[in-house]
Amino acid sequence: MIKKTICILAVFGISNIQILFSQDSGCPKLRIGVYLNEIFAADTTAGYLNTTHAKNLTASEWAGEIESYILQTLNSAGYDNLEFFRVTPGSNEDMDMEFRFSLYPWTVDGEERIPAYEVKYVDPVTGWEVKEYRAPVYDPQLAFLMYSSLVVCSPCVPLMTYIISIEKAIETNIYQLIKNLIYHYNSPLDLTIHNWEVKHPAPARNPQMEIRYQKEHLSLLDEDARKMEIYIKVKNCHGKYVYDKFHGQPVYFLKEMERLEYKDDPGNRCQIGFDWGIFSTVFTSEHYGAIGQYKVKKGFEPSFETPRFKTCGIGNNSLIEVEGEIKVLGLELEVDPDRKIINAGEKTTIQIDMHELDPDGTEILSCEGREVDVQVSGIIDGTISHESGKITLDEGGVAFIDYVAGENDKRIRIKASYTPSGYPETLASEATVTVRKEEGDVNGTIMYERQVHWEDEAKSTYSTIYKKVDVVENASINVAAKYLRTITDTQGKSELFEAKPLSGNFSASVTKVTVVTDHHGDWTKTVETWRGDKMMDPESFSNILLTIEPQKKNYILQAEIRFPGIEGKTEVTSSEGARYTLATEPWSVYAGFEYEGQTDDSSVNGHWSEPASGPILVLPSSGFVPGATWNWNLNRIKKK
């Protein structure tokens, strides 16, 4: 009788194999590549296989036979959540795991050559009788040893190609050996994989990234506003966030970008790994996931920056990449004169405007209180409200500078600059205002002022009406009259000059108050106000006509002037609690007059005024009217 030390396993019927772990509905089948990695001493082992199995195959033929039978046995094992297929060692084929097998020649105890027996003798030292048993001696019998190793495939850095299990079996029959190794030592295989996943959540199976941004956008205005943290959590196909206190899931942040500067988790909440090329490796933490920070390092234009994020998992092709989007608000500084070309004596307002700019073009008014450095050059005899130094922006991110051009000014340059705290670049803008001296044959200025102030109260049986009027109008009109023609008649010669269009400034401050109180004491108050300062419109059809009679030393000055309209409003309140505002027509003043005076043939000077007294009707029309004052000073260009 032959006695063997190896235990021969009974072959279980496939129908009796119970799979203990079922496929997660959220996870696809695991793809497992199967191959015979090595036949040790291939030719010798092939000879042994031929001897024991009565075949005549080469080593390579035996390798194909064994691989085919391994794959057949695995596919017959009843796993509905595992997909097995044949691959070659080192293959780049899409697979989640490798199932490697290696075969070695081996021996086991064969037939008994010397049975076990008992030996008795007397110990010469102690004198005691000793009984010893001798083990039987067997002839060696040819057998085979096979190892299996299940290895996780992963492209992760650092390397995460873990060995899940290593098993071995010994048998004299190669086919029974394969069955024993698969049905017994590696069964149930899916449960082995599941238990390993539970203990080793990283790398994730079918990873998905959840990306959260600390802020909606980055702003250039200060140091903190230029920084943003990004939090990335990784889920596996079981719907669980992947984290391991010993080894988290790696997430790779793009660290080299043209406009953004990258920094690993500034709060030291995550473990940091070695860089992977242009990507930085951050491992997920328990509460935050993986954390990276981006900071704007240059530029003022608005943009969408697109950092890339990667993570990896189980499987050769498990590396995934997502393109993120970080909105960077631009910063824009503008120097904008109301008029870029003005005449000497005229006024213009220069607007300094700084605002943030969304990539879609929307202006964001967020620069209140910021200080912009302003430098103005080129002023000779003009006046300006702010010539140099810091100017503070209002709630709209705007500051205003008033400039009145001098006779000798030619061009002024306004430069504005702003450097955000800690930023390496300076935002700058500039503009120019050109002063034009429009000359005619007769040049000069007409000054206008009107002041009317009165209040009055009228009582009747049924009501009391109180009125108050305050009017202040001022204008400076530039005159550059050109020669038209000379008329000769019986009275002598008359030289005609005309100035159009006219330029200059007009300002008005008008208040009209009316309070009506009835005999019950109930009252209604109406307040009409107009306030503003505007440049004259060159298309207003205003003109000055000057006639000089040189023989009589006489001149006639005729004016038709339409000043720009000043916007106003009407506010109504009452004793019963009413309060509302009405639209009001602009205060558009028309002024016309004709004046005759004396001239010395080189200058035309004159003055007219009449004080206002008593409650007079005030309308947006003027000229030689009560409350008005006119002064003009015109000089004739000498002919060369």
Side-chain angles (χ1 to χ4, degrees), residues 32-33 84 97-100 148-152 162-167 186 189 192-193:
I32 301 176
F84 302 98
M97 296 181 181
E98 287 183 349
F99 211 177
R100 307 169 184 168
S148 69
S149 56
L150 185 61
V151 181
V152 170
Y162 300 116
I163 298 176
I164 291 180
S165 69
I166 298 177
E167 301 292 346
N186 281 291
L189 191 61
T192 299
I193 294 171

Side-chain angles (χ1 to χ4, degrees), residues 13-279:
I14 293 176
S15 61
N16 293 327
I17 296 176
Q18 183 179 10
I19 304 302
L20 300 180
F21 176 69
S22 62
Q23 171 72 17
D24 191 314
S25 60
C27 296
K29 287 184 178 182
L30 281 169
R31 288 175 52 81
I32 301 176
V34 180
Y35 62 89
L36 182 63
N37 190 44
E38 178 187 16
I39 298 179
F40 183 78
D43 292 337
T44 301
T45 304
Y48 293 159
L49 287 167
N50 286 331
T51 299
T52 56
H53 296 80
K55 292 188 178 185
N56 186 24
L57 302 178
T58 64
S60 61
E61 289 172 335
W62 268 113
E65 172 75 8
I66 292 169
E67 277 191 345
S68 296
Y69 195 75
I70 291 172
L71 189 61
Q72 176 186 335
T73 306
L74 286 169
N75 285 328
S76 300
Y79 295 109
D80 62 357
N81 52 358
L82 305 177
E83 178 185 349
F84 302 98
F85 58 96
R86 192 170 175 178
V87 295
T88 57
S91 171
N92 291 323
E93 191 164 348
D94 181 17
M95 55 184 166
D96 301 310
M97 296 181 181
E98 287 183 349
F99 211 177
R100 307 169 184 168
F101 293 83
S102 300
L103 182 65
Y104 301 85
W106 206 252
T107 60
V108 295
D109 291 340
E111 293 185 0
E112 188 177 73
R113 188 171 62 193
I114 302 174
Y117 59 93
E118 182 179 277
V119 177
K120 295 181 181 180
Y121 63 92
V122 176
D123 188 300
V125 177
T126 63
W128 294 348
E129 185 180 85
V130 178
K131 184 186 293 184
E132 291 183 354
Y133 293 91
R134 298 287 189 263
V137 177
Y138 299 96
D139 289 329
Q141 182 175 348
L142 186 62
F144 303 96
L145 167 66
M146 181 173 279
Y147 281 97
S148 69
S149 56
L150 185 61
V151 181
V152 170
C153 299
S154 177
C156 293
V157 176
L159 195 63
M160 289 187 170
T161 53
Y162 300 116
I163 298 176
I164 291 180
S165 69
I166 298 177
E167 301 292 346
K168 71 175 182 177
I170 301 172
E171 180 56 71
T172 57
N173 183 284
I174 188 64
Y175 302 104
Q176 186 63 49
L177 172 61
I178 292 170
K179 290 178 180 179
N180 292 348
L181 191 58
I182 291 174
Y183 290 152
H184 177 68
Y185 294 105
N186 281 291
S187 181
L189 191 61
D190 53 358
L191 183 58
T192 299
I193 294 171
H194 170 73
N195 291 338
W196 183 87
E197 273 194 276
V198 171
K199 293 180 180 179
H200 305 84
R205 186 171 165 192
N206 292 91
Q208 295 295 323
M209 288 188 284
E210 290 185 0
I211 303 172
R212 181 172 64 87
Y213 298 87
Q214 183 186 23
K215 304 173 182 177
E216 290 185 3
H217 56 254
L218 291 176
S219 168
L220 304 177
L221 289 174
D222 54 56
E223 188 81 21
D224 287 338
R226 293 193 290 272
K227 301 175 184 176
M228 177 189 293
E229 288 185 352
I230 295 179
Y231 311 95
I232 300 179
K233 290 186 175 183
V234 180
K235 271 186 177 180
N236 58 24
C237 59
H238 304 293
K240 296 181 179 179
Y241 291 110
V242 179
Y243 162 72
D244 188 326
K245 64 180 179 180
F246 299 109
H247 209 313
Q249 170 76 19
V251 176
Y252 310 103
F253 291 78
L254 181 64
K255 64 177 183 176
E256 295 182 10
M257 299 186 69
E258 183 178 354
R259 193 176 183 191
L260 299 182
E261 176 183 283
Y262 173 77
K263 183 178 181 180
D264 291 323
D265 175 26
N268 297 318
R269 291 153 289 184
C270 301
Q271 181 184 356
I272 309 301
F274 293 106
D275 289 346
W276 186 10
I278 60 173
F279 287 84

Side-chain angles (χ1 to χ4, degrees), residues 376-394:
V376 182
S377 60
I379 296 178
I380 298 174
D381 58 350
T383 59
I384 195 162
S385 60
H386 183 94
E387 189 168 358
S388 66
K390 303 286 187 181
I391 191 168
T392 303
L393 306 181
D394 63 15

Side-chain angles (χ1 to χ4, degrees), residues 515-583:
V515 181
V516 179
T517 306
D518 65 18
H519 64 284
H520 297 295
D522 296 327
W523 54 266
T524 299
K525 181 179 181 181
T526 303
V527 180
E528 299 173 276
T529 56
W530 296 265
R531 285 184 177 82
D533 186 345
K534 286 190 175 183
M535 306 299 296
M536 291 187 62
D537 183 0
E539 298 182 0
S540 65
F541 302 104
S542 299
N543 75 311
I544 302 291
L545 187 64
L546 174 65
T547 303
I548 296 178
E549 300 173 327
Q551 294 170 334
K552 297 180 180 180
K553 303 293 184 181
N554 192 52
Y555 73 87
I556 300 172
L557 183 64
Q558 297 169 292
E560 289 187 11
I561 304 170
R562 290 173 174 82
F563 294 114
I566 303 298
E567 286 71 25
K569 63 180 179 179
T570 300
E571 296 179 312
V572 180
T573 55
S574 73
S575 57
E576 296 180 351
R579 180 181 294 273
Y580 53 90
T581 301
L582 300 174

Side-chain angles (χ1 to χ4, degrees), residues 287-464:
H287 301 293
Y288 303 99
I291 305 173
Q293 182 192 82
Y294 288 95
K295 175 184 175 182
V296 184
K297 62 182 179 181
K298 68 176 184 177
F300 288 101
E301 68 281 359
S303 65
F304 284 108
E305 300 302 314
T306 53
R308 303 200 312 273
F309 314 110
K310 296 183 180 183
T311 194
C312 55
I314 295 175
N316 286 340
N317 297 327
S318 63
L319 186 68
I320 61 171
E321 180 174 321
V322 174
E323 185 175 84
E325 183 177 87
I326 297 176
K327 181 194 289 188
V328 180
L329 298 183
L331 192 60
E332 191 171 58
L333 178 61
E334 296 176 330
V335 179
D336 186 19
D338 282 348
R339 295 170 64 197
K340 295 183 179 180
I341 300 176
I342 62 175
N343 295 311
E346 290 184 336
K347 184 177 82 171
T348 188
T349 298
I350 301 152
Q351 178 176 279
I352 310 297
D353 179 5
M354 189 169 74
H355 51 263
E356 291 188 286
L357 198 62
D358 191 277
D360 66 6
T362 303
E363 292 185 3
I364 301 171
L365 307 182
S366 55
C367 296
E368 179 181 1
R370 304 283 172 176
E371 292 186 336
V372 175
D373 185 68
V374 176
Q375 301 294 328
V376 182
S377 60
I379 296 178
I380 298 174
D381 58 350
T383 59
I384 195 162
S385 60
H386 183 94
E387 189 168 358
S388 66
K390 303 286 187 181
I391 191 168
T392 303
L393 306 181
D394 63 15
E395 66 276 5
V398 174
F400 297 95
I401 299 173
D402 291 328
Y403 167 61
V404 178
E407 287 290 332
N408 296 312
D409 290 348
K410 294 182 179 179
R411 177 183 287 110
I412 69 166
R413 186 176 301 277
I414 310 99
K415 293 183 177 180
S417 62
Y418 177 77
T419 304
S421 175
Y423 203 59
E425 298 179 8
T426 296
L427 182 65
S429 180
E430 65 177 64
T432 60
V433 176
T434 300
V435 180
R436 179 180 60 191
K437 291 186 69 175
E438 185 175 350
E439 292 191 353
D441 297 296
V442 178
N443 303 297
T445 305
I446 298 176
M447 305 298 295
Y448 162 73
E449 179 183 17
R450 177 164 65 156
Q451 291 209 31
V452 178
H453 304 281
W454 60 264
E455 57 183 316
D456 183 57
E457 185 175 80
K459 294 184 178 181
S460 67
T461 305
Y462 301 103
S463 64
T464 299

